[in-house]
Amino acid sequence: MHGRTIDALALDNYQRAARVILAHHLVTRTYPDRIALPLIRRWATELREDLAALFGYRLEVTETTARVFPVLDRLDASRPARTQADRVFDRRRYAYLALAVAALGRAGDQITLSELADQVAAYTNRVDGLELSTDRTADRDAFVDAVGWLTHRGAIALADGDASGWANDPEAGEALYDIDRPVVVALFRPPRALQHLHSVRGLLTEEAMATSAAASAPTAAETARRVRRALVERPVVYADDLALPDRPVLAQERIVAEVELFTGLHAERRAEGVALIDTSGRLSDIRFPGTGTLAQVALLLAGEIADLVLDIDNPLPRRSGAPDRGEALAAQLDDTIPESTVFAPLAALRSLDPPGRVPDSPEPDQGQTAARPVEATYPLVDATWVRETVQALADRYGATFAAQWQADIPGLATEVVSLLERLRLIRTVDDGLLVLPALARYRGAVVTVRTKRAAELFVTAADTYSPDSTGTEGN
């Protein structure tokens, strides 16, 4: 890999470029900032070769865009699209976004917001259960959120007017946008023709290999790439979450060291797995520990959970890991595929078997015993205890919380638990949450509230966190 041959004085610059392209699979002249694309273009050749060799990713770089085409090993709902106000996209916003991209692909160099809304509204008439009515405030707000997502990434640029004015009153307000066609084209580049898929699982690497007639057992290089992908895509890689052939590879120091050299991150190795620690903030989509009510309460709750787990006088019950959430997500997505109205007319059914079905493994010969790994178990924390603990934290520190959370403690508890789960510190189950090993690195967290400045929640990381977690965050 090129990290070994790049001059030491330039290596930091190269690693910064690697972190940017891994964090933002699409880089434009304005997204994520104006210095990202020149940085990527400077190292385009080296990045292209290293991304392919280490992860199996393909990188395309033009004068106006840089686009990584990743390899999907699993479905992951932990990085949803978000509005400019950091609200998670709902199904309607996703639908408007997809239809807006389709409309922009057929437009000229400019388009008004009302024209784009009319085209998207016409498309929604072809989808059962979906509608865009500019007479409804909720529909206009959702549509403007989708447009804002495109604007932030440089697919369109505001030339005149104001989108919020149109959202408030479409009869009086208007906005004109310039369309950056290369960005629009780069936005939607699926690895396979969607009309040939009857399940979202068809986008996954393993599924493609299983359904390929020429598929064979994965090579050592492919297994190593799969493990490296996990290291840069997940906050923590637990050995128990990996397939059996991948677990010994995760333990190989060389594999982890290659990712460290490419990204400039530091790996923390534990018996349970590996986590890359990003002190730069350029690869992580979540800064933790961090500022703000959610991050601070999450840190406090993590400390309380760690104390509970370590209480030897009151041991917690243990339970095996919850089912893979990717499977549940796949089922939800498959239920929304418009099979009869869109997919079936575009592509004939390829077989009578369920798409993507992996042939059953032959029964082992008599007398043979298949080796099965010991199933890992995790401490189970009761849901009631979690709610009561968050309420106790609110009673103690609530005056320093953001106003929206002071009035919604149950909502705060839900969001805090969601944040800890995205960081792979816990896993939620129906009656509580399972405590994962990485949460132990935040045990003993101490908070001191400043009284001089009421606007501040807590003290800085240097005063708040234990030395081994100061200024660190998951990837």
Side-chain angles (χ1 to χ4, degrees):
M1 60 180 291
H2 289 280
R4 298 191 182 97
T5 59
I6 294 174
D7 184 86
L9 296 177
L11 182 58
D12 180 70
N13 190 265
Y14 177 66
Q15 292 171 335
R16 188 180 304 116
R19 293 193 295 269
V20 169
I21 199 62
L22 285 173
H24 308 281
H25 289 173
L26 174 66
V27 174
T28 66
R29 285 174 291 190
T30 59
Y31 179 79
D33 51 50
R34 294 189 178 275
I35 65 174
L37 185 60
L39 180 64
I40 301 299
R41 284 173 54 82
R42 175 186 175 185
W43 298 103
T45 300
E46 294 84 355
L47 287 171
R48 186 181 296 111
E49 295 175 0
D50 280 349
L51 285 167
L54 294 176
F55 309 104
Y57 293 170
R58 179 165 58 90
L59 173 65
E60 289 185 0
V61 180
T62 69
E63 292 184 359
T64 57
T65 63
R67 181 73 159 90
V68 161
F69 296 88
V71 176
L72 300 179
D73 296 307
R74 66 184 188 119
L75 296 176
D76 183 7
S78 66
R79 296 184 179 182
R82 293 179 177 272
T83 69
Q84 295 299 302
D86 204 37
R87 294 190 301 272
V88 174
F89 267 38
D90 55 15
R91 295 174 65 178
R92 175 167 50 179
R93 285 168 171 79
Y94 277 120
Y96 290 167
L97 175 60
L99 296 177
V101 171
L104 291 173
R106 296 175 173 86
D109 295 330
Q110 289 186 320
I111 193 169
T112 64
L113 189 58
S114 58
E115 290 172 342
L116 182 58
D118 290 342
Q119 292 186 33
V120 171
Y123 291 155
T124 62
N125 294 331
R126 307 178 191 178
V127 182
D128 294 339
L130 181 64
E131 183 181 8
L132 170 57
S133 173
T134 56
D135 293 332
R136 286 198 295 263
T137 301
D139 285 9
R140 294 198 305 270
D141 289 342
F143 177 69
V144 169
D145 283 340
V147 170
W149 190 93
L150 293 168
T151 305
H152 183 51
R153 281 153 183 79
I156 54 179
L158 185 64
D160 192 17
D162 180 17
S164 60
W166 180 89
N168 293 330
D169 185 356
E171 297 296 329
E174 184 58 283
L176 176 66
Y177 290 92
D178 295 323
I179 301 174
D180 192 324
R181 191 154 305 282
V183 177
V184 173
V185 172
L187 269 174
F188 183 67
R189 297 281 297 278
R192 298 175 186 85
L194 296 187
Q195 63 265 32
H196 294 162
L197 301 179
H198 299 273
S199 169
V200 70
R201 295 178 180 87
L203 296 173
L204 300 179
T205 307
E206 292 297 329
E207 195 71 17
M209 293 178 61
T211 57
S212 172
S216 57
T219 65
E222 291 169 343
T223 301
R225 281 192 287 266
R226 188 164 57 239
V227 172
R228 295 191 200 99
R229 289 195 292 265
L231 286 169
V232 297
E233 292 170 358
R234 309 182 195 180
V236 183
V237 181
Y238 295 109
D240 291 333
D241 289 345
L242 299 178
L244 287 178
D246 299 352
R247 297 180 186 182
V249 179
L250 180 65
Q252 295 179 15
E253 185 173 345
R254 176 181 60 85
I255 297 297
V256 178
E258 288 172 342
V259 178
E260 286 181 301
L261 180 60
F262 181 66
T263 61
L265 305 185
H266 169 68
E268 281 194 1
R269 297 174 176 85
R270 296 290 186 270
E272 299 84 2
V274 179
L276 288 181
I277 307 302
D278 178 17
T279 58
S280 70
R282 296 304 299 258
L283 180 58
S284 307
D285 59 331
I286 307 174
R287 181 174 289 275
F288 190 79
T291 58
T293 301
L294 289 181
Q296 298 286 10
V297 174
L299 180 65
L300 287 170
L301 180 60
E304 295 289 340
I305 293 173
D307 291 342
L308 184 67
V309 172
L310 294 173
D311 186 357
I312 60 176
D313 295 327
N314 298 285
L316 294 176
R318 299 182 70 89
R319 183 182 298 179
S320 59
D324 183 3
R325 295 195 179 279
E327 286 300 311
L329 177 61
Q332 293 174 354
L333 293 174
D334 286 349
D335 287 342
T336 65
I337 293 178
E339 186 78 34
S340 61
T341 58
V342 178
F343 279 53
L346 290 176
L349 294 176
R350 289 173 292 175
S351 69
L352 297 177
D353 289 334
R357 179 182 176 185
V358 180
D360 294 334
S361 300
E363 292 292 332
D365 295 336
Q366 291 183 356
Q368 292 182 345
T369 303
R372 295 183 179 179
V374 178
E375 189 173 21
T377 60
Y378 307 97
L380 173 65
V381 176
D382 184 73
T384 301
W385 180 91
V386 174
R387 291 192 296 268
E388 292 175 349
T389 301
V390 174
Q391 182 62 59
L393 294 174
D395 293 341
R396 183 174 182 183
Y397 302 109
T400 64
F401 290 179
Q404 69 179 105
W405 299 123
Q406 292 184 23
D408 186 13
I409 302 304
L412 174 63
T414 299
E415 291 298 321
V416 164
V417 168
S418 176
L419 174 59
L420 292 176
E421 185 166 33
R422 289 177 63 191
L423 292 166
R424 295 179 62 79
L425 303 179
I426 63 168
R427 184 178 298 168
T428 57
V429 291
D430 292 340
D431 52 347
L433 53 88
L434 302 178
V435 184
L436 302 184
L439 183 135
R441 80 185 306 268
Y442 300 107
R443 64 185 181 274
V446 177
V447 165
T448 302
V449 179
R450 286 181 174 173
T451 57
K452 292 183 179 180
R453 296 176 58 183
E456 288 188 6
L457 278 176
F458 305 103
V459 297
T460 60
D463 297 323
T464 305
Y465 316 123
S466 57
D468 67 335
S469 64
T470 299
T472 62
E473 54 185 18
N475 59 327

